[in-house]
Structure formats: C-alpha cells, structure tokens
Amino acid sequence: VGGVYDPQKLRFDHHQRGFFETFNTVKKTKLSSAGLVYKHFGRQVIESVLEQKIPEQDLESVYNKVYASFIEEVDGIDNGIQQYDTDGPPKYERNSSLPSRVGRLNPSWDEKNPDYDGGFQKAMELTGSEFESTVRNVYHSWLPGKSILLDAIEERFKVHPSGEVLLLKRFCPWKSHLFDVEAELGFQAKYVIYLSSNAGADWRVQAVGIDESSFKLRKALPKPWRGLNEEELSAVAGIPDCVFTHMSGFIGGNRTVEGAIQMAAAAMDYSEADELAAAS
C-alpha cells in the first residue's frame, strides 16, 4: 500500500521507516495494516456486524476487547514481535492460530498450476468469518458476563471472610474480566466457584492464575486432593459430595454449592508447610 500511512487518503501501510503507531497508550504492539484499519473503522464495523447501534460505553468495551482478543495477534505476528519477553525456545508449536491456518491455504510450493486468487478468496472468507464470530461472542457473551462477576465481588465477604473466594450465581466468561476488575478495585481472588455449563450441573472450584493466560496459580487446590474422585476425595477432604480434583490442582468439583464453598474454604486454610510438619 505504498509505504504511506495517511487515514485521510485511506492509506494504511506499516512497513515504512519511522512508523511506530500503536492502538492506544495501553496496547503497545506496533500496528499492522489490519490494526490500522481496525483502529480507524473498528467501531463502525462492529455495529455493522451486529446490525444495530450500541451504547457508547458498551461499544468502546467491545472495540477494545476485539482488538485484544483478535486483531492484536495479527499485528504482532505481522510485525515479528515475540509474544513473550524471553529468548528461550517455545516448549511446543502453535500451528492452529489464524495466521497458521491462513498460511495453509497458500498453494504448495510444487503445485504446477497454483491458484493464488482462489487461496486468497478462501483466506478472506476464513478471516472474515472468525472476526465476525469474535465480535458476536464478545458482545453477546463476554460483555454481559461482567455484571455477573461484579455481583459476585460485591458479595464475596459473605462467601469467605478473606474476600478472596468468589461465588458466581450463574456460569459466565469471568476470567477475561477478573484481572481488569481486580486492578480497578485493588484486590485479588484465589478461587472462583461457579455452576458447570456441562451436563450434570456440578459446582466447580477453580483456582485463579497469576494472569489470564498463565498456568501458574495463585493458590492451587490442596496437594492431597489432586487426582482423587468421588468417595475417595470426600474422605480425604472431609467434605461430602466431592466429584474430582484435577492433577494440577487448578480445578475441582462438588455436587452442591455448599460443598464447593467448603472445598474453597479448606483450600484457603491449607498450606504445604503444615502438611510437611505433620508428616515429620
């Protein structure tokens, strides 16, 4: 696109020297052409996808979330920006991302009659479909979830005296909201209790990670519980109606909300140091 960034002339290149445009003061990833177009026209595109006018505050929330969860990855990969601040090699490959799937639509290097235009058309359809799906998910699922989380935060001291255990009255995508709300309110949760969306409707006790994408937990469920199920877990935990605890200690389940609250309370009280002292 000519080595020019000039939104007045609808020129959105990002390859030229001296170009350092970012989405905002919080998101510091250098923009690609995709990010530039979204920065200037994203709000209109969102309302077009949803086929409705959206209240300004909600529109701004959706606009920022869609950038963070979809567009920014494209910007980072297009500009060759590492996802993590480390020079170490990745522990596993990531070949299922949108850029990877788009890349596989290119003709093979040894095709005799490569159809580049056909591949480009498929890439547009794939990318457009996933972008629209992201917009709809953010607006219809992610955005309403925040109010459910805020209700749980307001009631958190009724669940546990520490205020570090949250009880959601219904399942919602809480994780993507929690860290922002914690920063705003100045607290940190250790566990979130919610009704499973799976068949059977057990209650889950999930340990909160140190950030949204991390597998490292602030406080894992007790080590003696991990990998146990049903009666064996209930006997070890001393809590009726237990269902399971994952081997990593990041999540457990109970058939009742009362039991799930008991599991969270016991986990809050548990320390590996006490276990070691008792064993010695």
Side-chain angles (χ1 to χ4, degrees):
V1 283
V4 175
Y5 168 47
D6 186 344
Q8 298 302 317
K9 296 181 179 179
L10 302 181
R11 305 290 292 275
F12 297 103
D13 203 353
H14 66 108
H15 297 95
Q16 59 274 25
R17 287 186 177 183
F19 177 86
F20 301 104
E21 191 77 12
T22 62
F23 187 66
N24 54 32
T25 57
V26 176
K27 290 293 185 181
K28 300 297 181 65
T29 301
K30 180 182 173 182
L31 297 180
S32 67
S33 295
L36 285 171
V37 172
Y38 183 80
K39 180 173 183 175
H40 290 279
F41 299 103
R43 296 176 182 86
Q44 298 99 300
V45 172
I46 288 167
E47 291 189 324
S48 176
V49 169
L50 296 173
E51 299 181 321
Q52 65 183 94
K53 291 292 291 182
I54 302 172
E56 184 176 350
Q57 185 174 353
D58 288 348
L59 178 58
E60 202 64 19
S61 294
V62 174
Y63 171 70
N64 288 322
K65 180 61 176 176
V66 170
Y67 178 77
S69 60
F70 190 92
I71 302 293
E72 187 174 20
E73 179 185 2
V74 177
D75 288 340
I77 292 174
D78 199 354
N79 284 301
I81 299 171
Q82 291 282 3
Q83 189 177 9
Y84 300 100
D85 293 328
T86 177
D87 294 328
K91 294 185 178 179
Y92 54 86
E93 294 185 15
R94 291 184 60 186
N95 293 316
S96 59
S97 64
L98 176 63
S100 297
R101 286 179 282 117
V102 167
R104 286 194 287 271
L105 296 174
N106 284 315
S108 174
W109 65 272
D110 57 352
E111 282 190 33
K112 294 182 179 179
N113 297 298
D115 182 10
Y116 291 102
D117 289 341
F120 186 75
Q121 182 64 38
K122 291 178 181 178
M124 287 196 300
E125 292 170 359
L126 171 65
T127 304
S129 172
E130 295 205 11
F131 175 79
E132 291 181 8
S133 177
T134 298
V135 170
R136 294 190 182 98
N137 180 264
V138 168
Y139 182 68
H140 294 296
S141 178
W142 174 83
L143 188 63
K146 186 173 183 178
S147 63
I148 297 172
L149 178 65
L150 289 174
D151 288 343
I153 290 172
E154 187 174 342
E155 299 288 319
R156 68 188 189 276
F157 287 102
K158 296 179 181 179
V159 180
H160 191 271
S162 69
E164 296 178 338
V165 178
L166 305 181
L167 172 62
L168 305 180
K169 296 301 175 62
R170 54 180 294 196
F171 178 81
C172 70
W174 55 269
K175 191 181 298 186
S176 56
H177 291 293
L178 178 61
F179 300 95
D180 290 338
V181 174
E182 285 181 334
E184 292 172 12
L185 300 181
F187 87 102
Q188 285 192 335
K190 295 288 198 313
Y191 301 104
V192 176
I193 300 169
Y194 56 89
L195 186 63
S196 171
S197 59
N198 297 330
D202 294 327
W203 287 85
R204 298 288 189 256
V205 183
Q206 186 164 337
V208 178
I210 59 172
D211 59 50
E212 186 177 351
S213 60
S214 177
F215 291 114
K216 186 174 181 180
L217 305 172
R218 292 173 178 169
K219 187 174 175 60
L221 292 172
K223 188 175 290 185
W225 300 1
R226 299 177 199 174
L228 301 183
N229 299 293
E230 304 289 343
E231 290 83 2
E232 186 179 10
L233 175 57
S234 291
V236 170
I239 300 169
D241 297 317
C242 290
V243 179
F244 76 98
T245 300
H246 192 274
M247 278 295 299
S248 68
F250 94 95
I251 194 169
N254 194 285
R255 290 189 178 85
T256 70
V257 64
E258 295 82 7
I261 292 172
Q262 284 182 280
M263 289 179 72
M268 287 292 295
D269 292 338
Y270 172 82
S271 73
E272 291 189 21
D274 293 339
E275 180 188 351
L276 293 172
S280 60

